[in-house]
Amino acid sequence: MHPIVRQIKEHLAQLANESIAEHSQRFFKTGPGQYGEGDQFLGIRVPVLRKLVPQYQEMPLEQVLELLKSPYHEERLFALLLLVRQFSRGDASKQKLLHQAYLEHTTYVNNWDLVDSSAEHLVGAYLVTRDRSLLYRLAKSKSLWERRIAVIATFYFIKRNDYQDILQIAELLLADPEDLIHKAVGWMLRELGKRELKVEEDFLQKHYQHMPRTMLRYAIEKFEKEKRLDYLHNRI
C-alpha cells in the first residue's frame, strides 16, 4: 500500500462512527441479494469527506485508483470526489486521462451515490463537446451501475438545456428491470421538466402508460396535484 493511501485510510478511520455505519449498511441495502450486498461502511457523512478533498487534491492518479478499490464505501466515494476535483481543475489531457480511468474502474463505482457523485462530472462534462455514443453503450450494459452512469451523465447536458440524450436513453430504459434505473430516469426527466416542461410532457404523453410506476412518479413529482393524479390514473 502506498504511504499516501495508508495516510488517508488512517485519517478516515479516525472519523469513523459505528452507529452511522450501521445505519448506512441498512440504507444502502447491503443485505444478501440486495443491490449493495456485502458493502462495508466506516460511518462518515458526505460533507465531512468533501471538506477533506482539497487537502489531498494533488494525489497521483495511481494512488487515487488504489483507494477506489477499497472495500469501504466511504473510501471509494472519497476517491471519486478526488477524481471529480482533479477533473474540474485539469487541462484537456488530464481530463481525458481521468475520464478513461473512471470508465476502466466502473466495477468500483457500485452504488447509486457513488454514481451520482461522479458520472455527471467525469462522463457528462467530458462528452459535452464530443461524440456521445459511449452513453448508449453504457445504457445497454449488463451492469446496473453502468446503466445508471449513462443516465446521470446526461444531467450535465440537461443543465445546459440539451435534452436529446436523456430522451433517447429514457426510451432505451423504459423496460429496464431495476428500480434504481427507474428512479434515475424519472429524476432526470423531472430535471428536464424544470427547464422545459413541454418537452417532458411530450415524452410522458407518449410513454407514461407503459412506464414503470416509480419512473413516472419521480418524473411528475413537481407537477400540481391534479395533474399528477391524471397521469397516475391514466386520464391524460
Side-chain angles (χ1 to χ4, degrees), residues 96-128:
K96 181 179 181 180
L97 182 66
L98 296 172
H99 168 74
Q100 291 177 336
Y102 180 76
L103 293 176
E104 290 168 2
H105 291 81
T106 55
T107 299
Y108 305 99
V109 188
N110 56 354
N111 215 310
W112 59 263
D113 64 316
L114 303 180
V115 172
D116 296 359
S117 298
S118 58
E120 173 190 350
H121 311 286
L122 295 168
V123 179
Y126 185 77
L127 297 180
V128 69

PDB file of all heavy atoms in Angstrom, residues 96-128:
ATOM      1  N   LYS A  96      -9.006  13.884 -20.087  1.00  0.00           N
ATOM      2  CA  LYS A  96      -9.120  12.641 -20.860  1.00  0.00           C
ATOM      3  C   LYS A  96      -8.608  11.452 -20.051  1.00  0.00           C
ATOM      4  O   LYS A  96      -9.238  10.387 -20.015  1.00  0.00           O
ATOM      5  CB  LYS A  96      -8.336  12.763 -22.162  1.00  0.00           C
ATOM      6  CG  LYS A  96      -8.411  11.519 -23.037  1.00  0.00           C
ATOM      7  CD  LYS A  96      -7.641  11.707 -24.342  1.00  0.00           C
ATOM      8  CE  LYS A  96      -7.741  10.458 -25.208  1.00  0.00           C
ATOM      9  NZ  LYS A  96      -6.993  10.630 -26.489  1.00  0.00           N
ATOM     10  N   LEU A  97      -7.495  11.639 -19.384  1.00  0.00           N
ATOM     11  CA  LEU A  97      -6.903  10.572 -18.566  1.00  0.00           C
ATOM     12  C   LEU A  97      -7.847  10.153 -17.441  1.00  0.00           C
ATOM     13  O   LEU A  97      -8.061   8.959 -17.192  1.00  0.00           O
ATOM     14  CB  LEU A  97      -5.576  11.059 -17.990  1.00  0.00           C
ATOM     15  CG  LEU A  97      -4.777  10.064 -17.143  1.00  0.00           C
ATOM     16  CD1 LEU A  97      -4.298   8.903 -18.004  1.00  0.00           C
ATOM     17  CD2 LEU A  97      -3.592  10.764 -16.481  1.00  0.00           C
ATOM     18  N   LEU A  98      -8.445  11.125 -16.758  1.00  0.00           N
ATOM     19  CA  LEU A  98      -9.345  10.839 -15.647  1.00  0.00           C
ATOM     20  C   LEU A  98     -10.638  10.186 -16.134  1.00  0.00           C
ATOM     21  O   LEU A  98     -11.151   9.255 -15.503  1.00  0.00           O
ATOM     22  CB  LEU A  98      -9.647  12.124 -14.885  1.00  0.00           C
ATOM     23  CG  LEU A  98      -8.462  12.784 -14.191  1.00  0.00           C
ATOM     24  CD1 LEU A  98      -8.852  14.150 -13.640  1.00  0.00           C
ATOM     25  CD2 LEU A  98      -7.902  11.907 -13.085  1.00  0.00           C
ATOM     26  N   HIS A  99     -11.148  10.672 -17.235  1.00  0.00           N
ATOM     27  CA  HIS A  99     -12.357  10.087 -17.833  1.00  0.00           C
ATOM     28  C   HIS A  99     -12.127   8.618 -18.175  1.00  0.00           C
ATOM     29  O   HIS A  99     -12.949   7.749 -17.844  1.00  0.00           O
ATOM     30  CB  HIS A  99     -12.721  10.886 -19.081  1.00  0.00           C
ATOM     31  CG  HIS A  99     -13.753  10.265 -19.957  1.00  0.00           C
ATOM     32  ND1 HIS A  99     -15.105  10.239 -19.626  1.00  0.00           N
ATOM     33  CD2 HIS A  99     -13.652   9.638 -21.163  1.00  0.00           C
ATOM     34  CE1 HIS A  99     -15.781   9.636 -20.593  1.00  0.00           C
ATOM     35  NE2 HIS A  99     -14.924   9.255 -21.522  1.00  0.00           N
ATOM     36  N   GLN A 100     -11.014   8.326 -18.808  1.00  0.00           N
ATOM     37  CA  GLN A 100     -10.720   6.949 -19.197  1.00  0.00           C
ATOM     38  C   GLN A 100     -10.498   6.054 -17.978  1.00  0.00           C
ATOM     39  O   GLN A 100     -10.962   4.906 -17.948  1.00  0.00           O
ATOM     40  CB  GLN A 100      -9.502   6.922 -20.126  1.00  0.00           C
ATOM     41  CG  GLN A 100      -9.775   7.546 -21.488  1.00  0.00           C
ATOM     42  CD  GLN A 100      -8.550   7.595 -22.376  1.00  0.00           C
ATOM     43  OE1 GLN A 100      -7.401   7.590 -21.905  1.00  0.00           O
ATOM     44  NE2 GLN A 100      -8.766   7.655 -23.681  1.00  0.00           N
ATOM     45  N   ALA A 101      -9.806   6.598 -16.981  1.00  0.00           N
ATOM     46  CA  ALA A 101      -9.569   5.820 -15.762  1.00  0.00           C
ATOM     47  C   ALA A 101     -10.882   5.478 -15.073  1.00  0.00           C
ATOM     48  O   ALA A 101     -11.068   4.357 -14.575  1.00  0.00           O
ATOM     49  CB  ALA A 101      -8.652   6.606 -14.823  1.00  0.00           C
ATOM     50  N   TYR A 102     -11.782   6.427 -15.046  1.00  0.00           N
ATOM     51  CA  TYR A 102     -13.107   6.196 -14.448  1.00  0.00           C
ATOM     52  C   TYR A 102     -13.826   5.060 -15.158  1.00  0.00           C
ATOM     53  O   TYR A 102     -14.345   4.133 -14.518  1.00  0.00           O
ATOM     54  CB  TYR A 102     -13.900   7.491 -14.539  1.00  0.00           C
ATOM     55  CG  TYR A 102     -15.304   7.441 -13.971  1.00  0.00           C
ATOM     56  CD1 TYR A 102     -15.521   7.453 -12.604  1.00  0.00           C
ATOM     57  CD2 TYR A 102     -16.412   7.417 -14.812  1.00  0.00           C
ATOM     58  CE1 TYR A 102     -16.807   7.442 -12.070  1.00  0.00           C
ATOM     59  CE2 TYR A 102     -17.704   7.409 -14.299  1.00  0.00           C
ATOM     60  CZ  TYR A 102     -17.898   7.417 -12.931  1.00  0.00           C
ATOM     61  OH  TYR A 102     -19.178   7.409 -12.407  1.00  0.00           O
ATOM     62  N   LEU A 103     -13.850   5.103 -16.478  1.00  0.00           N
ATOM     63  CA  LEU A 103     -14.552   4.072 -17.247  1.00  0.00           C
ATOM     64  C   LEU A 103     -13.915   2.693 -17.074  1.00  0.00           C
ATOM     65  O   LEU A 103     -14.601   1.677 -17.138  1.00  0.00           O
ATOM     66  CB  LEU A 103     -14.577   4.445 -18.726  1.00  0.00           C
ATOM     67  CG  LEU A 103     -15.410   5.675 -19.083  1.00  0.00           C
ATOM     68  CD1 LEU A 103     -15.267   5.997 -20.559  1.00  0.00           C
ATOM     69  CD2 LEU A 103     -16.880   5.457 -18.726  1.00  0.00           C
ATOM     70  N   GLU A 104     -12.622   2.680 -16.828  1.00  0.00           N
ATOM     71  CA  GLU A 104     -11.920   1.409 -16.639  1.00  0.00           C
ATOM     72  C   GLU A 104     -12.130   0.828 -15.243  1.00  0.00           C
ATOM     73  O   GLU A 104     -11.761  -0.323 -14.989  1.00  0.00           O
ATOM     74  CB  GLU A 104     -10.421   1.610 -16.897  1.00  0.00           C
ATOM     75  CG  GLU A 104     -10.094   1.866 -18.362  1.00  0.00           C
ATOM     76  CD  GLU A 104      -8.672   2.356 -18.567  1.00  0.00           C
ATOM     77  OE1 GLU A 104      -7.918   2.463 -17.555  1.00  0.00           O
ATOM     78  OE2 GLU A 104      -8.310   2.652 -19.723  1.00  0.00           O
ATOM     79  N   HIS A 105     -12.740   1.622 -14.359  1.00  0.00           N
ATOM     80  CA  HIS A 105     -12.894   1.181 -12.964  1.00  0.00           C
ATOM     81  C   HIS A 105     -14.345   1.261 -12.488  1.00  0.00           C
ATOM     82  O   HIS A 105     -14.601   1.416 -11.293  1.00  0.00           O
ATOM     83  CB  HIS A 105     -11.984   2.021 -12.052  1.00  0.00           C
ATOM     84  CG  HIS A 105     -10.522   1.748 -12.259  1.00  0.00           C
ATOM     85  ND1 HIS A 105      -9.811   2.319 -13.284  1.00  0.00           N
ATOM     86  CD2 HIS A 105      -9.650   0.949 -11.581  1.00  0.00           C
ATOM     87  CE1 HIS A 105      -8.548   1.885 -13.223  1.00  0.00           C
ATOM     88  NE2 HIS A 105      -8.436   1.066 -12.205  1.00  0.00           N
ATOM     89  N   THR A 106     -15.295   1.126 -13.394  1.00  0.00           N
ATOM     90  CA  THR A 106     -16.703   1.217 -13.003  1.00  0.00           C
ATOM     91  C   THR A 106     -17.120   0.079 -12.073  1.00  0.00           C
ATOM     92  O   THR A 106     -18.135   0.189 -11.379  1.00  0.00           O
ATOM     93  CB  THR A 106     -17.623   1.235 -14.234  1.00  0.00           C
ATOM     94  OG1 THR A 106     -17.359   0.080 -15.046  1.00  0.00           O
ATOM     95  CG2 THR A 106     -17.421   2.498 -15.045  1.00  0.00           C
ATOM     96  N   THR A 107     -16.340  -0.989 -12.034  1.00  0.00           N
ATOM     97  CA  THR A 107     -16.614  -2.080 -11.085  1.00  0.00           C
ATOM     98  C   THR A 107     -16.685  -1.558  -9.656  1.00  0.00           C
ATOM     99  O   THR A 107     -17.430  -2.094  -8.822  1.00  0.00           O
ATOM    100  CB  THR A 107     -15.501  -3.145 -11.168  1.00  0.00           C
ATOM    101  OG1 THR A 107     -15.487  -3.678 -12.489  1.00  0.00           O
ATOM    102  CG2 THR A 107     -15.746  -4.274 -10.166  1.00  0.00           C
ATOM    103  N   TYR A 108     -15.927  -0.508  -9.370  1.00  0.00           N
ATOM    104  CA  TYR A 108     -15.846   0.029  -8.009  1.00  0.00           C
ATOM    105  C   TYR A 108     -16.809   1.195  -7.781  1.00  0.00           C
ATOM    106  O   TYR A 108     -16.930   1.677  -6.664  1.00  0.00           O
ATOM    107  CB  TYR A 108     -14.409   0.449  -7.712  1.00  0.00           C
ATOM    108  CG  TYR A 108     -13.422  -0.668  -7.930  1.00  0.00           C
ATOM    109  CD1 TYR A 108     -12.679  -0.747  -9.111  1.00  0.00           C
ATOM    110  CD2 TYR A 108     -13.274  -1.687  -6.995  1.00  0.00           C
ATOM    111  CE1 TYR A 108     -11.793  -1.796  -9.344  1.00  0.00           C
ATOM    112  CE2 TYR A 108     -12.400  -2.736  -7.215  1.00  0.00           C
ATOM    113  CZ  TYR A 108     -11.665  -2.794  -8.386  1.00  0.00           C
ATOM    114  OH  TYR A 108     -10.798  -3.835  -8.607  1.00  0.00           O
ATOM    115  N   VAL A 109     -17.467   1.624  -8.849  1.00  0.00           N
ATOM    116  CA  VAL A 109     -18.492   2.680  -8.736  1.00  0.00           C
ATOM    117  C   VAL A 109     -19.821   1.949  -8.601  1.00  0.00           C
ATOM    118  O   VAL A 109     -20.649   1.924  -9.500  1.00  0.00           O
ATOM    119  CB  VAL A 109     -18.461   3.615  -9.963  1.00  0.00           C
ATOM    120  CG1 VAL A 109     -19.370   4.824  -9.760  1.00  0.00           C
ATOM    121  CG2 VAL A 109     -17.038   4.068 -10.259  1.00  0.00           C
ATOM    122  N   ASN A 110     -20.020   1.327  -7.455  1.00  0.00           N
ATOM    123  CA  ASN A 110     -21.011   0.259  -7.350  1.00  0.00           C
ATOM    124  C   ASN A 110     -22.100   0.533  -6.305  1.00  0.00           C
ATOM    125  O   ASN A 110     -22.550  -0.378  -5.605  1.00  0.00           O
ATOM    126  CB  ASN A 110     -20.315  -1.074  -7.048  1.00  0.00           C
ATOM    127  CG  ASN A 110     -19.456  -1.020  -5.797  1.00  0.00           C
ATOM    128  OD1 ASN A 110     -19.276   0.035  -5.193  1.00  0.00           O
ATOM    129  ND2 ASN A 110     -18.922  -2.162  -5.394  1.00  0.00           N
ATOM    130  N   ASN A 111     -22.513   1.778  -6.242  1.00  0.00           N
ATOM    131  CA  ASN A 111     -23.738   2.100  -5.508  1.00  0.00           C
ATOM    132  C   ASN A 111     -24.263   3.411  -6.077  1.00  0.00           C
ATOM    133  O   ASN A 111     -23.521   4.152  -6.722  1.00  0.00           O
ATOM    134  CB  ASN A 111     -23.508   2.197  -4.003  1.00  0.00           C
ATOM    135  CG  ASN A 111     -24.721   1.688  -3.221  1.00  0.00           C
ATOM    136  OD1 ASN A 111     -25.849   2.089  -3.492  1.00  0.00           O
ATOM    137  ND2 ASN A 111     -24.493   0.802  -2.245  1.00  0.00           N
ATOM    138  N   TRP A 112     -25.530   3.692  -5.829  1.00  0.00           N
ATOM    139  CA  TRP A 112     -26.147   4.829  -6.519  1.00  0.00           C
ATOM    140  C   TRP A 112     -25.506   6.161  -6.142  1.00  0.00           C
ATOM    141  O   TRP A 112     -25.371   7.042  -6.983  1.00  0.00           O
ATOM    142  CB  TRP A 112     -27.648   4.849  -6.282  1.00  0.00           C
ATOM    143  CG  TRP A 112     -28.094   4.939  -4.850  1.00  0.00           C
ATOM    144  CD1 TRP A 112     -28.469   3.898  -4.055  1.00  0.00           C
ATOM    145  CD2 TRP A 112     -28.233   6.127  -4.049  1.00  0.00           C
ATOM    146  NE1 TRP A 112     -28.820   4.360  -2.805  1.00  0.00           N
ATOM    147  CE2 TRP A 112     -28.690   5.723  -2.777  1.00  0.00           C
ATOM    148  CE3 TRP A 112     -28.025   7.490  -4.291  1.00  0.00           C
ATOM    149  CZ2 TRP A 112     -28.935   6.643  -1.748  1.00  0.00           C
ATOM    150  CZ3 TRP A 112     -28.258   8.405  -3.274  1.00  0.00           C
ATOM    151  CH2 TRP A 112     -28.716   7.982  -2.016  1.00  0.00           C
ATOM    152  N   ASP A 113     -25.095   6.322  -4.894  1.00  0.00           N
ATOM    153  CA  ASP A 113     -24.497   7.605  -4.509  1.00  0.00           C
ATOM    154  C   ASP A 113     -23.119   7.789  -5.130  1.00  0.00           C
ATOM    155  O   ASP A 113     -22.706   8.917  -5.431  1.00  0.00           O
ATOM    156  CB  ASP A 113     -24.418   7.731  -2.991  1.00  0.00           C
ATOM    157  CG  ASP A 113     -23.490   6.699  -2.356  1.00  0.00           C
ATOM    158  OD1 ASP A 113     -23.548   5.516  -2.755  1.00  0.00           O
ATOM    159  OD2 ASP A 113     -22.711   7.057  -1.465  1.00  0.00           O
ATOM    160  N   LEU A 114     -22.403   6.688  -5.337  1.00  0.00           N
ATOM    161  CA  LEU A 114     -21.100   6.762  -5.987  1.00  0.00           C
ATOM    162  C   LEU A 114     -21.264   7.198  -7.444  1.00  0.00           C
ATOM    163  O   LEU A 114     -20.508   8.051  -7.939  1.00  0.00           O
ATOM    164  CB  LEU A 114     -20.392   5.402  -5.912  1.00  0.00           C
ATOM    165  CG  LEU A 114     -20.191   4.818  -4.506  1.00  0.00           C
ATOM    166  CD1 LEU A 114     -19.472   3.476  -4.583  1.00  0.00           C
ATOM    167  CD2 LEU A 114     -19.414   5.782  -3.612  1.00  0.00           C
ATOM    168  N   VAL A 115     -22.246   6.637  -8.116  1.00  0.00           N
ATOM    169  CA  VAL A 115     -22.558   7.049  -9.486  1.00  0.00           C
ATOM    170  C   VAL A 115     -22.978   8.518  -9.509  1.00  0.00           C
ATOM    171  O   VAL A 115     -22.481   9.319 -10.308  1.00  0.00           O
ATOM    172  CB  VAL A 115     -23.675   6.176 -10.074  1.00  0.00           C
ATOM    173  CG1 VAL A 115     -24.144   6.738 -11.421  1.00  0.00           C
ATOM    174  CG2 VAL A 115     -23.220   4.733 -10.241  1.00  0.00           C
ATOM    175  N   ASP A 116     -23.894   8.874  -8.616  1.00  0.00           N
ATOM    176  CA  ASP A 116     -24.488  10.212  -8.666  1.00  0.00           C
ATOM    177  C   ASP A 116     -23.484  11.310  -8.320  1.00  0.00           C
ATOM    178  O   ASP A 116     -23.665  12.471  -8.711  1.00  0.00           O
ATOM    179  CB  ASP A 116     -25.692  10.288  -7.724  1.00  0.00           C
ATOM    180  CG  ASP A 116     -26.814   9.349  -8.140  1.00  0.00           C
ATOM    181  OD1 ASP A 116     -26.668   8.653  -9.167  1.00  0.00           O
ATOM    182  OD2 ASP A 116     -27.831   9.296  -7.432  1.00  0.00           O
ATOM    183  N   SER A 117     -22.431  10.949  -7.603  1.00  0.00           N
ATOM    184  CA  SER A 117     -21.400  11.933  -7.236  1.00  0.00           C
ATOM    185  C   SER A 117     -20.348  12.113  -8.323  1.00  0.00           C
ATOM    186  O   SER A 117     -19.528  13.037  -8.235  1.00  0.00           O
ATOM    187  CB  SER A 117     -20.694  11.495  -5.944  1.00  0.00           C
ATOM    188  OG  SER A 117     -21.595  11.435  -4.867  1.00  0.00           O
ATOM    189  N   SER A 118     -20.373  11.263  -9.324  1.00  0.00           N
ATOM    190  CA  SER A 118     -19.247  11.241 -10.258  1.00  0.00           C
ATOM    191  C   SER A 118     -19.616  11.258 -11.736  1.00  0.00           C
ATOM    192  O   SER A 118     -18.911  11.862 -12.541  1.00  0.00           O
ATOM    193  CB  SER A 118     -18.390   9.996  -9.974  1.00  0.00           C
ATOM    194  OG  SER A 118     -19.173   8.803 -10.105  1.00  0.00           O
ATOM    195  N   ALA A 119     -20.705  10.611 -12.129  1.00  0.00           N
ATOM    196  CA  ALA A 119     -20.977  10.400 -13.560  1.00  0.00           C
ATOM    197  C   ALA A 119     -21.194  11.701 -14.320  1.00  0.00           C
ATOM    198  O   ALA A 119     -20.706  11.867 -15.447  1.00  0.00           O
ATOM    199  CB  ALA A 119     -22.187   9.489 -13.727  1.00  0.00           C
ATOM    200  N   GLU A 120     -21.936  12.615 -13.723  1.00  0.00           N
ATOM    201  CA  GLU A 120     -22.186  13.906 -14.374  1.00  0.00           C
ATOM    202  C   GLU A 120     -20.879  14.617 -14.708  1.00  0.00           C
ATOM    203  O   GLU A 120     -20.735  15.220 -15.780  1.00  0.00           O
ATOM    204  CB  GLU A 120     -23.042  14.780 -13.457  1.00  0.00           C
ATOM    205  CG  GLU A 120     -23.232  16.186 -13.949  1.00  0.00           C
ATOM    206  CD  GLU A 120     -23.875  17.104 -12.910  1.00  0.00           C
ATOM    207  OE1 GLU A 120     -24.343  16.616 -11.874  1.00  0.00           O
ATOM    208  OE2 GLU A 120     -23.884  18.327 -13.158  1.00  0.00           O
ATOM    209  N   HIS A 121     -19.917  14.541 -13.805  1.00  0.00           N
ATOM    210  CA  HIS A 121     -18.689  15.316 -13.912  1.00  0.00           C
ATOM    211  C   HIS A 121     -17.598  14.612 -14.709  1.00  0.00           C
ATOM    212  O   HIS A 121     -16.842  15.260 -15.438  1.00  0.00           O
ATOM    213  CB  HIS A 121     -18.172  15.641 -12.512  1.00  0.00           C
ATOM    214  CG  HIS A 121     -19.232  16.210 -11.627  1.00  0.00           C
ATOM    215  ND1 HIS A 121     -19.699  17.497 -11.768  1.00  0.00           N
ATOM    216  CD2 HIS A 121     -19.964  15.651 -10.619  1.00  0.00           C
ATOM    217  CE1 HIS A 121     -20.653  17.723 -10.869  1.00  0.00           C
ATOM    218  NE2 HIS A 121     -20.820  16.625 -10.161  1.00  0.00           N
ATOM    219  N   LEU A 122     -17.507  13.299 -14.591  1.00  0.00           N
ATOM    220  CA  LEU A 122     -16.422  12.559 -15.231  1.00  0.00           C
ATOM    221  C   LEU A 122     -16.817  11.961 -16.576  1.00  0.00           C
ATOM    222  O   LEU A 122     -15.948  11.556 -17.357  1.00  0.00           O
ATOM    223  CB  LEU A 122     -15.918  11.456 -14.293  1.00  0.00           C
ATOM    224  CG  LEU A 122     -15.257  11.970 -13.013  1.00  0.00           C
ATOM    225  CD1 LEU A 122     -15.064  10.845 -12.015  1.00  0.00           C
ATOM    226  CD2 LEU A 122     -13.925  12.643 -13.323  1.00  0.00           C
ATOM    227  N   VAL A 123     -18.104  11.891 -16.834  1.00  0.00           N
ATOM    228  CA  VAL A 123     -18.583  11.398 -18.127  1.00  0.00           C
ATOM    229  C   VAL A 123     -19.329  12.506 -18.871  1.00  0.00           C
ATOM    230  O   VAL A 123     -18.968  12.874 -19.986  1.00  0.00           O
ATOM    231  CB  VAL A 123     -19.481  10.149 -17.961  1.00  0.00           C
ATOM    232  CG1 VAL A 123     -19.979   9.667 -19.325  1.00  0.00           C
ATOM    233  CG2 VAL A 123     -18.716   9.032 -17.264  1.00  0.00           C
ATOM    234  N   GLY A 124     -20.368  13.067 -18.254  1.00  0.00           N
ATOM    235  CA  GLY A 124     -21.134  14.114 -18.912  1.00  0.00           C
ATOM    236  C   GLY A 124     -20.288  15.305 -19.320  1.00  0.00           C
ATOM    237  O   GLY A 124     -20.336  15.763 -20.470  1.00  0.00           O
ATOM    238  N   ALA A 125     -19.496  15.819 -18.392  1.00  0.00           N
ATOM    239  CA  ALA A 125     -18.673  17.001 -18.685  1.00  0.00           C
ATOM    240  C   ALA A 125     -17.649  16.717 -19.777  1.00  0.00           C
ATOM    241  O   ALA A 125     -17.332  17.596 -20.586  1.00  0.00           O
ATOM    242  CB  ALA A 125     -17.967  17.473 -17.414  1.00  0.00           C
ATOM    243  N   TYR A 126     -17.151  15.490 -19.821  1.00  0.00           N
ATOM    244  CA  TYR A 126     -16.167  15.144 -20.848  1.00  0.00           C
ATOM    245  C   TYR A 126     -16.808  15.035 -22.225  1.00  0.00           C
ATOM    246  O   TYR A 126     -16.233  15.448 -23.238  1.00  0.00           O
ATOM    247  CB  TYR A 126     -15.463  13.827 -20.490  1.00  0.00           C
ATOM    248  CG  TYR A 126     -14.351  13.489 -21.446  1.00  0.00           C
ATOM    249  CD1 TYR A 126     -13.122  14.145 -21.364  1.00  0.00           C
ATOM    250  CD2 TYR A 126     -14.529  12.544 -22.447  1.00  0.00           C
ATOM    251  CE1 TYR A 126     -12.101  13.861 -22.261  1.00  0.00           C
ATOM    252  CE2 TYR A 126     -13.515  12.244 -23.345  1.00  0.00           C
ATOM    253  CZ  TYR A 126     -12.304  12.905 -23.244  1.00  0.00           C
ATOM    254  OH  TYR A 126     -11.284  12.626 -24.136  1.00  0.00           O
ATOM    255  N   LEU A 127     -18.022  14.492 -22.276  1.00  0.00           N
ATOM    256  CA  LEU A 127     -18.669  14.223 -23.563  1.00  0.00           C
ATOM    257  C   LEU A 127     -19.448  15.410 -24.109  1.00  0.00           C
ATOM    258  O   LEU A 127     -19.937  15.339 -25.243  1.00  0.00           O
ATOM    259  CB  LEU A 127     -19.616  13.029 -23.428  1.00  0.00           C
ATOM    260  CG  LEU A 127     -18.984  11.680 -23.077  1.00  0.00           C
ATOM    261  CD1 LEU A 127     -20.065  10.613 -22.988  1.00  0.00           C
ATOM    262  CD2 LEU A 127     -17.920  11.282 -24.099  1.00  0.00           C
ATOM    263  N   VAL A 128     -19.566  16.472 -23.356  1.00  0.00           N
ATOM    264  CA  VAL A 128     -20.465  17.563 -23.768  1.00  0.00           C
ATOM    265  C   VAL A 128     -20.123  18.108 -25.150  1.00  0.00           C
ATOM    266  O   VAL A 128     -21.026  18.497 -25.900  1.00  0.00           O
ATOM    267  CB  VAL A 128     -20.496  18.677 -22.700  1.00  0.00           C
ATOM    268  CG1 VAL A 128     -19.186  19.427 -22.603  1.00  0.00           C
ATOM    269  CG2 VAL A 128     -21.669  19.615 -22.927  1.00  0.00           C
TER     270      VAL A 128
END
